[in-house]
Amino acid sequence: MASRAKATILDIAREAGVSKSTVSLVLQGSGLIRPETAVKVRKAIEDVGYVYNRGAANLRKAHSNVIGMVINDLTNPFFAELAVGMERVFQAAGVVPFIANTAENPVRQEEVLKSLMEQGVAGLIVSPARGTTPGTFRRIETAGVPIVFTMRRLPDSRIPVIAPDNRRGAVLAAEHLIRKGHRRLAFFGGSSDLVVYQERLGGFLEACETLGIPASDRLIVEGETSRKGGMACLETALAVPQPPTAALCFNDAVAFGVMLALRKRGLEAGADFAVVGFDDVAEAEHYSPALTSVAVDTAGLGERAAHVMLKMIQSRTTRAENHIGAVSLVVRESSGPDRNSQAGDAA
Amino acid sequence: MASRAKATILDIAREAGVSKSTVSLVLQGSGLIRPETAVKVRKAIEDVGYVYNRGAANLRKAHSNVIGMVINDLTNPFFAELAVGMERVFQAAGVVPFIANTAENPVRQEEVLKSLMEQGVAGLIVSPARGTTPGTFRRIETAGVPIVFTMRRLPDSRIPVIAPDNRRGAVLAAEHLIRKGHRRLAFFGGSSDLVVYQERLGGFLEACETLGIPASDRLIVEGETSRKGGMACLETALAVPQPPTAALCFNDAVAFGVMLALRKRGLEAGADFAVVGFDDVAEAEHYSPALTSVAVDTAGLGERAAHVMLKMIQSRTTRAENHIGAVSLVVRESSGPDRNSQAGDAA
DNA sequence: TTGATTTATTGGAACGTTCCATTTATAGCG
DNA sequence: CGCTATAAATGGAACGTTCCAATAAATCAA
């Protein structure tokens, strides 16, 4: 069934009665060839079932149109939303992004990057896995392939980053909770080896500081950034002597976990314990009660990252400005006032 | 900054004082070279920051190790789970799968497939977009590139399919609802241009037939296969004169939508209206109430698809057997007995 | 010692494309 | 008609690898 010996540009040339150079020009849409010739060639291409060999082409022009997107957790819907934003931009530019998952595993990440580089990608958009070693991207940089980080950054790297204003988002969220009358606050999920974590936690602490929540009334529980992690955080928090009445969660997945754990205990998020998430994934507004969350304009960040990448490729540079996206707090049902306080500004 | 003129095998040869052939052999891990030579070469590779050019290599050996995974909806967590299963297998085989999203758009799908083919993929795992034209995969087949379909199939295609036993799953689910005492049943979501839909609906109707639910007591509401679609389905269903008391949903996303719409109306899934989903995504057990769903062993199907693909590549064939995965019904809280009936077998 | 065998290494052709420098055909002009 | 200018098409070298056939070096048998 499968036709033997895949057709090349030469087969087409023979079929169409022209030279291989002519076929090449047609393939590139050059205006130099006579329209009738082009038609003849295109017909031949169709007839022989020709598949363009980009590897061979790249040998000469070193200018592939594939962009690799390396993400640390495909199962987090957040990244799907990010990818959708990027794809919108890339599609318009005639570029196909290939997505590869590292599953938060630095070893896998090395393999994936190696493979992508071998394919001759034009650029890389990366959300680095936890525990990525500093040297990982050095070779790629020196090879002159543009990289942009999204969402996560590496401690001391010069690689441009597209990310939301994590600190500001956390400040907004914490202020909101405090204004609702909460006086014992928790920060749930994440771990300190992530720069993002430090930023979000930093914003949380800053707001506590500013609005006079003493350190003794703050509870920080590290944990997996997943539903499961969130459930565990809540259990831990409710076990302490003076448990918090509200929590800012590292991301929405953690927040969902907290809400589920609350429900399991017969408590309701919002009424009995205030929960705020981070990222504002699509599910947030559909959950019940709907989740208050820090909206980071995920798809917008994706678009931005794609644009920056395109620009870098075009100007063949490996440098670009960082971009910190604006954030906003979307207040929904999960963050009600502290029931034991009369200070809630929502009445 | 970026080092000029990327290093080739010849640069390494010069650096190490051997021939390019020797370098090539080292790269391929041939046992023919003296260990000390190999060490010397590997050091040179490290020193010059060499990146293997797979395109050039494929020119000779036409044997790439990349596999394309083309999926129709990256935002459906189901596909992430499927991908995770595949990755497990591919990782062990030293293969890197590249994922590309078609967003249910046949035109985008053509672009994505073209790009993947040009990269010289060794095989393609595809969940075809809705409205895929029959000819789409013909060229790829004749090019001798193995394809397997997952989850979805095309009406008259010879391409092997890895999918769950949709009909059986729907039968199990419908029987469950009928045994719970429900007598007016609905099937929510999906549309008839999908083979999967026909199978799932077919199973539903078969069970109704067998257990004596007359056609007049069955309600079929087509709709988007998303949360939004599910919410719409419920609204439609509750508006008819004799509304159903239970629904089998095309997939879990639809089921979640139905549950959210119920809650908005002050009704509770399980107690007031029975809901059964399909796919049993991870969220199903975390929702509240937990969703009864047809478990299809998503990751297992992914693994199976990856294995079949590997086998096809190895035996250079473009044919393989279909594989229909076993399914089971996972009963949780969302499918309580009909409250107006005393026939429920659970009480 | 000589020839045969084994072990390591190597040069060169080939893979399918692009692109430059040419060639060939067509048109324009005096 | 010859000359140049323009348009269209072409041959060949180059890209970075693999692999075959060939060589060189080391070992062995007689």
Side-chain angles (χ1 to χ4, degrees):
Chain A
M1 171 172 316
S3 71
R4 311 284 128 248
K6 45 197 61 169
T8 80
I9 216 181
L10 283 147
D11 298 312
I12 296 171
R14 197 176 319 114
E15 181 86 6
V18 297
S19 80
K20 63 175 173 34
S21 304
T22 303
V23 177
S24 177
L25 289 173
V26 172
L27 249 17
Q28 294 169 76
S30 160
L32 287 180
I33 31 79
R34 209 155 35 120
E36 334 160 27
T37 312
V39 168
K40 199 169 53 176
V41 170
R42 265 189 272 271
K43 173 160 183 347
I45 288 175
E46 205 57 44
D47 288 351
V48 303
Y50 168 76
V51 178
Y52 182 77
N53 185 332
R54 195 166 297 272
N58 287 346
L59 222 42
R60 285 285 309 190
K61 58 176 170 131
H63 199 83
S64 92
N65 71 338
V66 348
I67 288 181
M69 179 171 169
V70 179
I71 69 180
N72 61 288
D73 181 9
L74 192 58
T75 65
N76 186 340
F78 174 82
F79 287 104
E81 292 176 27
L82 189 71
V84 165
M86 292 187 188
E87 279 171 339
R88 224 184 342 248
V89 174
F90 284 139
Q91 177 163 21
V95 166
V96 175
F98 291 153
I99 301 169
N101 184 28
T102 64
E104 209 72 275
N105 175 352
V107 176
R108 182 60 171 165
Q109 180 172 262
E110 295 272 7
E111 294 173 2
V112 156
L113 288 172
K114 178 151 171 279
S115 190
L116 250 5
M117 285 298 289
E118 289 179 2
Q119 293 302 320
V121 290
L124 249 16
I125 295 182
V126 184
S127 173
R130 233 163 82 179
T132 297
T133 59
T136 305
F137 296 96
R138 190 130 35 210
R139 325 184 49 131
I140 302 180
E141 275 186 286
T142 64
V145 173
I147 309 173
V148 332
F149 283 152
T150 43
M151 310 315 300
R152 294 183 175 183
R153 80 189 67 210
L154 251 40
D156 56 352
S157 163
R158 292 256 109 244
I159 294 171
V161 180
I162 314 293
D165 192 340
N166 289 309
R167 172 171 279 265
R168 173 96 188 115
V171 167
L172 288 176
E175 284 179 354
H176 167 70
L177 288 171
I178 296 169
R179 290 229 189 75
K180 283 286 190 184
H182 294 279
R183 287 294 170 266
R184 289 195 309 283
L185 270 51
F187 189 91
F188 283 170
S191 64
S192 50
D193 59 347
L194 250 36
V195 177
V196 198
Y197 176 82
Q198 289 157 10
E199 294 172 346
R200 294 187 181 177
L201 178 60
F204 172 80
L205 295 177
E206 177 187 325
C208 287
E209 210 64 57
T210 310
L211 298 186
I213 303 294
S216 57
D217 286 347
R218 311 170 198 155
L219 178 66
I220 295 161
V221 187
E222 292 197 8
E224 280 185 47
T225 59
S226 61
R227 249 179 280 253
K228 187 141 65 83
M231 295 175 82
C233 283
L234 184 83
E235 297 306 330
T236 305
L238 294 191
V240 307
Q242 286 274 336
T245 64
L248 169 56
C249 301
F250 176 75
N251 68 13
D252 287 347
V254 171
F256 293 144
V258 171
M259 285 168 66
L260 292 166
L262 283 169
R263 185 176 297 256
K264 267 201 181 130
R265 287 177 160 255
L267 302 172
E268 177 86 355
D272 303 307
F273 189 99
V275 181
V276 178
F278 212 112
D279 291 348
D280 193 34
V281 302
E283 288 169 283
E285 70 168 311
H286 289 132
Y287 252 69
S288 168
L291 177 68
T292 295
S293 188
V294 177
V296 302
D297 185 18
T298 318
L301 287 172
E303 289 181 20
R304 168 66 51 170
H307 273 127
V308 170
M309 174 52 65
L310 253 17
K311 191 87 69 184
M312 287 171 86
I313 291 174
Q314 197 187 334
S315 58
R316 17 185 70 76
T317 176
T318 177
R319 298 293 260 271
E321 306 235 305
N322 290 342
H323 182 269
I324 305 303
V327 298
S328 60
L329 184 72
V330 180
V331 178
R332 300 202 183 87
E333 304 156 15
S334 69
S335 58
D338 181 11
R339 44 161 46 168
N340 306 315
S341 149
Q342 57 279 59
D345 67 359
Chain B
M1 172 173 322
S3 72
R4 314 279 129 251
K6 45 196 62 169
T8 79
I9 215 181
L10 282 147
D11 299 312
I12 297 171
R14 196 176 320 114
E15 181 86 6
V18 298
S19 78
K20 62 178 172 32
S21 305
T22 303
V23 178
S24 176
L25 290 172
V26 171
L27 249 15
Q28 294 169 77
S30 161
L32 287 180
I33 32 77
R34 209 157 35 120
E36 334 159 30
T37 311
V39 169
K40 198 170 51 177
V41 169
R42 266 189 272 271
K43 170 155 184 352
I45 289 176
E46 206 57 44
D47 288 349
V48 303
Y50 167 75
V51 178
Y52 183 77
N53 184 332
R54 195 166 296 272
N58 287 347
L59 223 41
R60 285 284 309 189
K61 56 176 171 125
H63 198 82
S64 93
N65 70 339
V66 349
I67 288 182
M69 181 171 167
V70 178
I71 69 179
N72 59 288
D73 181 10
L74 191 60
T75 66
N76 186 339
F78 175 82
F79 286 104
E81 292 177 27
L82 188 72
V84 165
M86 291 187 188
E87 280 172 339
R88 219 174 358 238
V89 174
F90 285 138
Q91 177 163 21
V95 167
V96 175
F98 290 153
I99 302 170
N101 184 28
T102 64
E104 210 72 277
N105 174 352
V107 175
R108 182 62 172 163
Q109 180 173 258
E110 296 272 6
E111 292 172 4
V112 155
L113 289 171
K114 177 150 170 282
S115 189
L116 251 2
M117 286 299 288
E118 290 180 1
Q119 290 306 316
V121 290
L124 249 15
I125 296 182
V126 184
S127 173
R130 234 164 80 180
T132 298
T133 59
T136 304
F137 295 96
R138 190 131 35 208
R139 323 185 52 130
I140 301 179
E141 275 186 285
T142 65
V145 173
I147 310 172
V148 311
F149 284 153
T150 43
M151 309 314 301
R152 295 181 173 184
R153 78 189 69 210
L154 254 38
D156 55 351
S157 162
R158 294 255 108 245
I159 293 171
V161 180
I162 315 294
D165 192 339
N166 289 310
R167 172 171 279 266
R168 174 94 187 118
V171 167
L172 288 175
E175 283 179 356
H176 166 70
L177 289 171
I178 296 169
R179 290 228 191 76
K180 282 286 190 182
H182 294 279
R183 287 295 170 265
R184 289 195 309 282
L185 269 52
F187 188 91
F188 281 169
S191 63
S192 50
D193 59 347
L194 250 37
V195 177
V196 198
Y197 177 82
Q198 288 157 10
E199 294 172 347
R200 293 186 181 176
L201 178 60
F204 172 79
L205 295 176
E206 176 187 325
C208 287
E209 210 63 58
T210 310
L211 297 186
I213 303 294
S216 57
D217 288 346
R218 309 170 199 157
L219 178 66
I220 296 161
V221 187
E222 293 197 7
E224 278 184 48
T225 59
S226 61
R227 249 180 280 252
K228 186 142 66 83
M231 296 175 82
C233 284
L234 184 84
E235 297 306 329
T236 305
L238 294 191
V240 308
Q242 286 273 335
T245 63
L248 170 55
C249 300
F250 176 75
N251 68 14
D252 286 347
V254 171
F256 292 144
V258 171
M259 284 167 66
L260 292 167
L262 283 169
R263 185 176 297 255
K264 267 200 182 132
R265 288 178 159 253
L267 302 173
E268 177 86 353
D272 304 306
F273 188 98
V275 181
V276 178
F278 212 112
D279 290 347
D280 194 33
V281 300
E283 289 169 282
E285 70 168 314
H286 290 132
Y287 252 70
S288 165
L291 178 67
T292 296
S293 187
V294 177
V296 301
D297 186 17
T298 317
L301 287 172
E303 288 180 21
R304 168 66 53 170
H307 272 127
V308 170
M309 174 52 66
L310 254 17
K311 192 85 72 181
M312 287 170 84
I313 291 173
Q314 197 186 334
S315 57
R316 14 185 70 77
T317 174
T318 177
R319 300 292 262 268
E321 307 233 306
N322 291 341
H323 182 270
I324 305 302
V327 297
S328 61
L329 184 72
V330 179
V331 178
R332 299 201 182 88
E333 303 156 16
S334 70
S335 58
D338 182 11
R339 45 160 46 168
N340 306 315
S341 150
Q342 57 279 61
D345 66 357

